[in-house]
Amino acid sequence: MIIVSESVQKFLLDFIRQKGLQPGDKLPSERELVQLLEVGRSSVREALQILTERGYIEKHAGKGAYVKSIIPHNDFTDLTDLFPSMDILASLDLLEYRKGIETENAFLAAMRRDHTSIEDLERSIYDLEMCIRNGTSIIAPDVDFHGTLALATQNEVIVQVYKSLVNFFKKVRIEMAINDNVENALYYHKEIVIAIKHKNPERSGILMRRHIEDVQLNYRRMLVGMGIIETKYTKDRVLF
């Protein structure tokens, strides 16, 4: 079950903690959060309301939302209490799935890409660079990049599968948004596009596999840092 508002709540709590915000500091507006996270306004409003009820933030009519209290580290020691629908195993399984399917997407995209695909991929990289420069979430250009790769395969089944899973992809991306290694993401996106432009499917596929492996590593590091997992991960239990 995908509860997007819970992912938005986690993003906001991560944002407050990692940006070092203090009581009285202003949070991004509803409109900014919708654009940053590629989610609906209703999910953002629900997340803000729940965090208000929990005493983390406060809303001022006509002015926006503000930090109300500092979030202690141990508030994240049990995500199932704060976010009941956040399934860590499902998120890790999704990344494992993506490593296989998106490696093939990159391979096929390099074989079948057209001029429009290349233009769209380069535009997503430009948008990614702007997000990094401005210190904002890279979710929108990241989703655009991977969606364009699916389209470039010219395989209708791949396109439909991507569309059916894109909200789940976004959910996982929001969960780890503040913990992204944005420079690595930019490097892999650029190198994959170069390989696609040169019609080098083998290199494109290898780079995509390494890219998703890097994302997997960052996700697990995030969970370790939050005290959710230990030192390794198996199918039967979550460790790291």
Side-chain angles (χ1 to χ4, degrees), residues 71-201:
I71 301 159
H73 181 77
N74 60 11
D75 266 16
F76 276 112
T77 55
D78 191 351
L79 286 183
T80 58
D81 288 342
L82 274 178
F83 315 119
S85 74
M86 182 176 173
D87 188 335
I88 294 165
L89 284 175
S91 295
L92 287 166
D93 282 348
L94 176 69
L95 290 172
E96 186 175 75
Y97 167 80
R98 287 187 66 184
K99 182 165 63 176
I101 193 65
E102 296 217 43
T103 295
E104 184 65 13
N105 287 1
F107 183 96
L108 293 175
M111 294 177 61
R112 301 173 180 173
R113 91 289 188 278
D114 55 22
H115 182 68
T116 299
S117 296
I118 292 174
E119 283 188 340
D120 290 342
L121 288 169
E122 290 180 332
R123 186 179 304 110
S124 75
I125 288 176
Y126 173 80
D127 291 342
L128 179 57
E129 289 176 323
M130 291 300 100
C131 288
I132 293 173
R133 186 176 301 173
N134 296 328
T136 58
S137 167
I138 66 170
I139 290 174
D142 184 68
V143 170
D144 287 344
F145 177 83
H146 290 279
T148 300
L149 280 182
L151 290 170
T153 67
Q154 299 184 37
N155 181 309
E156 190 56 33
V157 173
I158 289 175
V159 173
Q160 291 306 316
V161 167
Y162 183 85
K163 288 180 178 179
S164 70
L165 291 174
V166 70
N167 284 335
F168 199 1
F169 290 172
K170 287 180 183 178
K171 175 182 177 292
V172 178
R173 294 296 290 105
I174 294 169
E175 287 174 7
M176 62 183 298
I178 301 297
N179 302 277
D180 272 328
N181 187 325
V182 295
E183 296 298 338
N184 278 12
L186 179 60
Y187 166 78
Y188 282 114
H189 283 207
K190 282 184 171 181
E191 291 298 313
I192 289 166
V193 171
I194 290 171
I196 289 173
K197 289 173 70 174
H198 291 166
K199 286 197 170 183
N200 188 335

Side-chain angles (χ1 to χ4, degrees), residues 9 26 35 39 64 72 91 95 111 120 180 228 236:
Q9 289 174 58
K26 193 173 189 301
Q35 294 174 341
V39 297
S91 295
L95 290 172
M111 294 177 61
D120 290 342
D180 272 328
I228 306 303
D236 299 319

